[in-house]
Amino acid sequence: MALSPTAFLVIGGLLALVGILLAFFGRKLWTPFMSFLGAILGGSIGYFIGIYYTPGSAIGPIILAVVGSVLGSILFNYLVKIALALITGAIPATITYYLMNPNPVQDQSAQQPAVIAAILVLLVVFGIAYYFVEELIGVVTAIVGAFLLGAGIFLATGEPVWALGGAAGVFLVGALVQTLAIRRAKRGGSLRMRRARAAAMAPVAPVVVPRAPPPPPAAIPPPPPPTAPSDSRDPPPPPPP
């Protein structure tokens, strides 16, 4: 079923908005964006599979679309690096395929070199992006955001020149902004780590516990007074009556 120009305009606007957000804030939004993108891809694949295997049913494609959306969201959420590197490799692979301009209608063999070249570009770019995804997260997300923006502009206006110009400008500015932000964050993190290390290595003054003063000496009691000696010459006491 053909889409109306209004639908192309809405889809193009959404793609452009997501592309701008990803190009300038991709380092913070890449995990939820990958989950959202996985939900879209999984839902689309499930819907088309449902249409293919249950052409006369209206509920089957919807159920498969929901299941595919959930599975795709979970998969892309746990495999963020792989998903981001795969999308990064798919962009130049698609461009390579269309630049070689295969025409399978006139010549079936003309499509094979384009497909092989696109697969090779996908594998090479995927490996590089996956290995350096932590260091190049700002550049990678800027590439993906610029591609989405260009696709949105093309769907909304149908002008490839505007799409390429907007994508190039957003990529350059977004990559620069995110790279500077990542460097500031790394510099702040290294400075905090250095301060913590210096505080841990600083000599700690020993804690001196004051001793209690010794108790005063016990008082010596005075000697008892001398008693008078008894006189043996005194007479004995008288007997009782």
Side-chain angles (χ1 to χ4, degrees):
M1 184 175 62
L3 296 177
S4 63
T6 305
F8 278 109
L9 184 62
V10 172
I11 295 174
L14 292 177
L15 287 177
L17 178 61
V18 173
I20 291 175
L21 292 176
L22 193 62
F24 288 94
F25 305 101
R27 67 189 187 279
K28 298 180 180 180
L29 301 177
W30 65 315
T31 301
F33 172 76
M34 288 294 108
S35 180
F36 176 71
L37 186 60
I40 294 177
L41 293 177
S44 301
I45 294 173
Y47 183 77
F48 288 122
I49 291 176
I51 291 178
Y52 182 78
Y53 285 102
T54 59
S57 175
I59 302 178
I62 296 177
I63 294 177
L64 291 178
V66 173
V67 174
S69 178
V70 173
L71 293 178
S73 177
I74 295 174
L75 181 64
F76 274 50
N77 187 34
Y78 284 98
L79 303 177
V80 177
K81 295 182 180 180
I82 297 178
L84 188 60
L86 184 61
I87 295 175
T88 307
I91 294 174
T94 304
I95 296 174
T96 302
Y97 177 81
Y98 281 104
L99 286 178
M100 297 186 68
N101 195 17
N103 191 358
V105 177
Q106 297 180 358
D107 187 6
Q108 293 290 337
S109 62
Q111 191 177 7
Q112 296 180 0
V115 173
I116 294 174
I119 293 175
L120 292 177
V121 172
L122 172 64
L123 293 177
V124 172
V125 178
F126 170 79
I128 296 175
Y130 180 78
Y131 188 77
F132 295 102
V133 67
E134 293 291 343
E135 291 78 8
L136 301 178
I137 183 62
V139 178
V140 171
T141 52
I143 292 174
V144 178
F147 178 78
L148 294 177
L149 176 70
I153 294 175
F154 181 75
L155 290 177
T157 62
E159 295 290 338
V161 178
W162 290 8
L164 291 176
V170 168
F171 164 69
L172 293 176
V173 179
L176 180 61
V177 170
Q178 290 201 78
T179 302
L180 293 178
I182 291 173
R183 287 184 178 180
R184 286 196 300 268
K186 288 185 177 180
R187 191 181 301 113
S190 62
L191 183 60
R192 288 191 297 269
M193 187 179 299
R194 195 179 300 115
R195 288 178 179 176
R197 189 179 302 172
M201 296 179 61
V204 180
V207 179
V208 179
V209 179
R211 296 182 178 180
I220 301 175
T227 56
S230 59
D231 192 359
S232 60
R233 292 177 300 178
D234 292 339

